[in-house]
Structure formats: C-alpha cells, structure tokens
Amino acid sequence: MLLVDSFEKQGNFLFKYRGQFPVLLFFISIPFIFLSSEINLFFQFIYNVIAVSITIIGLIIRFYTIGTTPKGTSGRNTNKQIADYLNSTGVYSIVRNPLYLGNYFIWLGIAFFTYNLCFIIVLTLLFWLYYERIIFAEERFLEKKFGSKYLNWSSETPAFIPSFKKFKKSSLPFSFKSILRREYAGVLAIVVSFSFVEIVRTYFLTNSLNMSPVIFKILIFISILVFVLRYMKHNTNILYETDRS
C-alpha cells in the first residue's frame, strides 16, 4: 500500500473514532496530575483563569463555525466523510479546519487545568499526530470531490493558523439555534473533563473524592440544561431549522 493511501486509511479510521480521543486523554492525564507539584492559591487562580479563558476561545471558534455553516457540512458524522459543497466563506475563509482548531484550544485549556507543563506539551503532540491523519484523509476526500475548486481554496487558506486578512463574510446568518441543537453534548463533555481533573487532583492531595463547590454547581446546571435541550431537539420542533444540520 502506498504511504499516502496508508495515511488516508488511518485518517478515516481516526475520523470515525475521534469522539473517543478525549477518553484517551483522561487516562493519560492521571499520572501527570499525580506528578504535579502543589501550588499556592494565587498561582492556582492564575492557572484556572488561563485554563478557562483558553477553553472559552475554543468554544467561541466552534460556536461561530457551527452557527454559520449549512446542512451537510461541519457535522458530527462518524461513518464517512460528508460534504455537499465546499465551505469557503466565514471562518472557512481564514482557516481550513476551524472545528479542529477550536477542539485544540478546548483541550489545551483543560490541560492547563492540570497545572502540569509536561502534559500541555504531550497533549499538543498527541493532538497534532492524531488530527494530522484525519485532516489528511479529509483533504484527500475534498480534493477528489471538488477538484481544482478545492485546490485553489486550500492553496490560499491556512490549514490551522488563521489568516484574518482573508476573511469573507458568510452568506448564512449566524444561528444561535444551531449552537443549542448541536453543541450541548460538547459543552457537557468539557465540564465533565474539568470535573474529572479536579476530582483526581483532590484525591491525590487529600486521599478523598471531593469537588470544588463551584465546579459541582456548574456541572449540575449544565447537566440539567443538556437534558432540556436534548428533549427539545428530539421531541419538539423548537430548535428545528431548514437547511441546517
């Protein structure tokens, strides 16, 4: 098998199971949390602010992408690549993989919450190796489907580091409903991730399973919100939109 074909096959496999990547990070983070040195309250506050801020940046990137893209693209499909047409406006005019860029910032923020620089570096390397194959497979798919149109767009648009001077406004208006309908599970996963790190760190420090009251309240609130949004999505038409995924 040619190397490019092997890369594409690996990318499609990783694309299918990309939802399991966070679970892998959970297990990898445990020894790094254990080895983290205890720090004073001031530096904990600084780390927490940085962690939450970076994660919020990632969410904003994802929200804007999801809120301005049509049906048939930027979905949570796992069985195969899907693209009814080529996105080249809005966030896709400044970067080719905005959802993955958003994911990186989200997980980078969670990595900061471990208070361990080594884990931040390891996460960055793992993320790059994992998503490099996925992006390769996606680009092969798009090149085959859209040909020169894709090649022209990709040659002018960075893969991962945005070029804001190339921004072209999306033809679709921003849809807050799309965010509510499609991103609630991801937000819950983020809160669970922060909670997981907090519980593991507290256990190693105190040998007891405790959680910060603030994180606990946020977890309960988001869990209730997710239940409501999931019910609305599957049992009502309140969040339904024509031509949106």
Side-chain angles (χ1 to χ4, degrees):
M1 180 183 293
L2 293 175
L3 187 59
V4 291
D5 294 328
S6 176
F7 276 17
E8 184 176 8
K9 184 176 180 181
Q10 293 171 26
N12 285 323
F13 175 82
L14 295 174
F15 174 85
K16 184 176 182 179
Y17 294 102
R18 68 193 187 281
Q20 282 67 50
F21 182 64
V23 179
L24 173 65
L25 294 179
F26 282 164
F27 287 106
I28 295 175
S29 71
I30 293 174
F32 288 96
I33 298 171
F34 175 75
L35 294 172
S36 297
S37 301
E38 188 173 358
I39 59 178
N40 63 46
L41 292 177
F42 174 75
F43 284 106
Q44 284 185 32
F45 175 77
I46 297 299
Y47 267 103
N48 292 347
V49 170
I50 293 174
V52 172
S53 299
I54 293 174
T55 297
I56 289 175
I57 291 172
L59 279 173
I60 290 172
I61 295 171
R62 283 195 59 91
F63 287 174
Y64 181 75
T65 303
I66 295 297
T68 55
T69 50
K71 186 176 182 179
T73 58
S74 301
R76 292 185 176 275
N77 49 297
T78 56
N79 292 327
K80 61 180 180 179
Q81 307 282 355
I82 294 176
D84 293 339
Y85 69 89
L86 184 65
N87 283 327
S88 59
T89 61
V91 70
Y92 285 95
S93 65
I94 63 174
V95 65
R96 299 204 302 269
N97 302 283
L99 290 177
Y100 298 154
L101 177 62
N103 289 349
Y104 173 69
F105 275 104
I106 288 169
W107 286 103
L108 181 62
I110 295 169
F112 261 93
F113 195 59
T114 66
Y115 308 158
N116 190 298
L117 179 61
C118 290
F119 181 62
I120 295 171
I121 296 171
V122 168
L123 174 129
T124 299
L125 292 174
L126 285 176
F127 191 94
W128 176 257
L129 291 172
Y130 193 93
Y131 278 95
E132 182 185 40
R133 296 292 193 275
I134 294 177
I135 291 171
F136 180 87
E138 288 183 340
E139 293 194 340
R140 289 269 288 181
F141 167 77
L142 292 170
E143 181 183 354
K144 291 174 184 176
K145 183 162 186 175
F146 298 105
S148 60
K149 184 178 180 181
Y150 171 76
L151 292 175
N152 292 335
W153 168 73
S154 62
S155 66
E156 298 175 353
T157 310
F160 213 68
I161 300 176
S163 176
F164 294 98
K165 64 181 180 180
K166 297 178 179 294
F167 179 76
K168 298 177 184 177
K169 186 177 180 180
S170 174
S171 57
L172 284 177
F174 182 83
S175 170
F176 189 66
K177 278 188 178 182
S178 292
I179 308 303
L180 295 177
R181 186 176 62 255
R182 297 178 57 185
E183 290 295 283
Y184 60 80
V187 172
L188 178 60
I190 292 169
V191 176
V192 169
S193 300
F194 275 98
S195 302
F196 174 82
V197 173
E198 171 76 6
I199 290 171
V200 172
R201 178 168 51 238
T202 302
Y203 178 77
F204 287 143
L205 291 175
T206 66
N207 202 31
S208 61
L209 295 174
N210 293 315
M211 185 189 302
S212 162
V214 174
I215 294 180
F216 179 74
K217 290 176 182 178
I218 294 174
L219 178 61
I220 296 300
F221 172 76
I222 294 298
S223 298
I224 294 172
L225 182 61
V226 165
F227 175 81
V228 172
L229 291 174
R230 180 177 174 80
Y231 178 85
M232 291 170 63
K233 176 180 178 179
H234 293 286
N235 296 280
T236 73
N237 291 322
I238 296 174
L239 299 179
Y240 175 78
E241 295 175 288
T242 305
D243 297 327
R244 301 275 187 153
S245 296

